[in-house]
Amino acid sequence: MSANEASFAKSEAALHEEAMRETGLDDFGDPAYLEGLRRVLDGYDCEAKLHEQGRMITRMAITGLLRTRLRSQALLRANAAAQSHEIRRPIVVLGLVRTGSTSLHHLLGQDPHVNVLEYWLAAHPQPRPPRETWTTLPDYQESHAEIEGMYAMDPELRAIHFMRADLAEECRHLLAQSFTDDYFEVNTTLPSYVRWYENTRHPASYRRHRELVKLIGSASPEKRWILKYPVHLKHLADLLEVYPDACVVWTHRDPSKVLASYIDLIAGFRALFERDIDRAAIAREQVETWAAGAERAIEVRKQHDPSQFLDLDFGDSIADPIAAVRRIYDRFDLVLTEDAERRMRAWMEETPEGKRGRQHSMEDVGLTRAQVLDRFAAYMRHFGLQAESLPARRAT
């Protein structure tokens, strides 16, 4: 960090003051979030390779999260009755990245009889207003502009990870409010934060997650929740502590076929923040965190009722998505109505997710396929997974 660059850690008070000034609020809720925030700020000072634009975006992002936390806390207080609603047997989709969970989640989100976490409500938690009003609301419009701005910077991102303000979205926004999310390790080089975040329990973050989910779903508390975030795999103990009756859909695929795409995605995001992107270092870090996270999750799963879990293979869910949905509904006591199935089939016709995008190999990011398969051997052995065949190479 050069002499003329302000320290992030020393700016902690100023960042809070800025968020309070912009919102007119001063209650951040449970102070447990401060540990994660301070570790992030220290990492930005000591480890990250932020360029000038990256420093500016990072400061704006931190202040934005603090503003969102303030506004969420105010709404939690104003809607305290929402916390009396129970969340019974939520369905939670998790697993390794790039295993078809996003397409599955979007498909499940077409069922009008369930609650899902729409992107704009994840980014701006509040009681879900009537759907016909969404496009008129500033929070919705801001989320739409944010997504389109990301796609404008990298048009190929739309094919890699399809998002829309009104579509079912991951839980990342809710956890980022507590500064315990892989958002921070994805966008910047923060090895000390990674060690802490990946190897520490975060029950307070998941308790806030539950509070925000109750707030968002307070207009329809009778509907079952369907949530999705691959990262829940790495923190399954916390998820099941806070949602003890969760119904877990664990998606599977040969990790050597998926991690290269994810690492390429991370490298693209980091370029927005940092200089000197080290793809090989990203690959080593991500292979280790996901393999270790899968192994922890296996041990946690052994301590819970097997009926809480359903394993879903990527190949099966892609070959017949509606059959995969039926398996989930049958296992966890949901009724797939004719209307819901019709909506799902219409979505599949109109939105061919997963049919575009770049091809990747682990060699492109500095690791061999054999190295990846070796590190995930325990995971693959436990679930009886086989390495997927590679496409034939053309003779040169």
Side-chain angles (χ1 to χ4, degrees):
M1 183 176 65
S2 65
N4 65 341
E5 292 176 330
S7 162
F8 278 99
K10 291 180 180 178
S11 300
E12 179 189 326
L15 292 166
H16 281 83
E17 289 167 5
E18 184 178 341
M20 289 188 288
R21 184 172 61 254
E22 292 177 356
T23 60
L25 303 168
D26 61 6
D27 182 5
F28 290 92
D30 184 350
Y33 77 94
L34 288 170
E35 182 175 8
L37 172 61
R38 288 166 180 165
R39 289 179 180 274
V40 167
L41 296 180
D42 185 65
Y44 287 154
D45 284 337
C46 302
E47 297 169 330
K49 300 177 289 184
L50 296 169
H51 47 57
E52 184 177 352
Q53 175 182 288
R55 291 186 66 82
M56 179 183 67
I57 297 174
T58 295
R59 183 182 178 90
M60 291 172 58
I62 295 295
T63 307
L65 286 171
L66 291 172
R67 285 198 307 268
T68 300
R69 188 175 176 93
L70 282 168
R71 289 169 177 153
S72 297
Q73 191 64 30
L75 285 166
L76 287 170
R77 289 199 314 272
N79 297 273
Q83 299 307 308
S84 65
H85 300 149
E86 293 186 34
I87 299 178
R88 294 187 177 91
R89 302 184 69 208
I91 294 174
V92 182
V93 182
L94 51 77
L96 297 183
V97 291
R98 317 301 291 164
T99 54
S101 60
T102 297
S103 296
L104 176 65
H105 193 209
H106 288 166
L107 193 63
L108 294 167
Q110 302 310 304
D111 186 344
H113 307 294
V114 300
N115 272 319
V116 294
L117 183 65
E118 292 88 357
Y119 184 103
W120 80 276
L121 288 168
H124 304 279
Q126 59 193 272
R128 185 184 288 110
R131 194 177 188 96
E132 62 271 17
T133 68
W134 290 5
T135 58
T136 68
L137 302 176
D139 287 341
Y140 181 93
Q141 294 166 359
E142 181 179 320
S143 291
H144 174 74
E146 176 184 301
I147 293 170
E148 292 307 309
M150 284 190 287
Y151 289 154
M153 286 188 288
D154 183 359
E156 292 193 29
L157 181 60
R158 195 186 299 268
I160 298 171
H161 186 70
F162 182 53
M163 295 177 289
R164 216 170 65 193
D166 63 341
L167 280 182
E169 175 58 17
E170 299 175 336
C171 300
R172 59 190 176 91
H173 294 88
L174 305 188
L175 294 170
Q177 279 197 27
S178 298
F179 298 91
T180 50
D181 184 57
D182 76 348
Y183 162 87
F184 304 100
E185 69 180 67
V186 163
N187 288 340
T188 40
T189 305
L190 300 173
S192 62
Y193 175 82
V194 172
R195 288 191 296 272
W196 170 78
Y197 166 66
E198 298 288 353
N199 297 289
T200 304
R201 293 286 304 274
H202 304 292
S205 301
Y206 276 84
R207 287 193 293 271
R208 186 172 183 85
H209 178 283
R210 182 180 59 194
E211 290 173 353
L212 295 171
V213 167
K214 287 184 177 184
L215 173 71
I216 293 166
S218 57
S220 53
E222 75 286 354
K223 294 182 179 180
R224 288 275 292 276
W225 270 95
I226 298 181
L227 299 164
K228 172 258 179 179
Y229 196 21
V231 174
H232 290 321
L233 173 74
K234 299 190 287 185
H235 301 286
L236 185 59
D238 296 318
L239 176 78
L240 291 175
E241 177 180 324
V242 174
Y243 297 101
D245 61 350
C247 302
V248 177
V249 179
W250 191 330
T251 56
H252 298 283
R253 192 181 181 189
D254 173 357
S256 71
K257 294 282 288 183
V258 299
L259 283 171
S261 172
Y262 185 59
I263 292 160
D264 188 66
L265 185 64
I266 292 176
F269 277 127
R270 284 201 186 178
L272 301 175
F273 295 85
E274 293 194 317
R275 60 186 182 275
D276 305 326
I277 307 302
D278 187 341
R279 295 164 66 87
I282 295 171
R284 291 192 299 271
E285 178 182 86
Q286 292 302 310
V287 166
E288 178 57 33
T289 58
W290 283 101
E295 290 165 1
R296 287 197 307 273
I298 288 169
E299 294 306 309
V300 171
R301 177 168 171 169
K302 291 176 181 177
Q303 302 165 25
H304 289 80
D305 185 345
S307 67
Q308 284 186 253
F309 297 87
L310 172 66
D311 295 297
L312 197 60
D313 181 75
F314 172 80
D316 293 340
S317 62
I318 292 298
D320 192 341
I322 297 298
V325 169
R326 287 201 183 97
R327 284 188 62 196
I328 295 168
Y329 277 46
D330 290 347
R331 179 63 171 264
F332 298 129
D333 305 311
L334 275 171
V335 176
L336 181 60
T337 65
E338 290 184 5
D339 177 51
E341 182 172 342
R342 179 185 57 78
R343 290 168 182 258
M344 290 178 185
R345 291 189 181 279
W347 172 258
M348 290 166 57
E349 287 294 322
E350 296 165 5
T351 313
E353 292 187 90
K355 297 181 181 178
R356 298 165 294 168
R358 297 171 290 210
Q359 298 297 314
H360 310 265
S361 73
M362 292 307 301
E363 286 78 2
D364 295 336
V365 292
L367 287 175
T368 67
R369 190 177 190 224
Q371 287 174 309
V372 177
L373 291 172
D374 181 64
R375 183 61 190 89
F376 281 89
Y379 160 74
M380 297 185 72
R381 187 165 53 248
H382 181 83
F383 291 105
L385 302 177
Q386 301 296 319
E388 294 180 23
S389 60
L390 292 172
R393 294 183 179 273
R394 292 181 179 179
T396 57

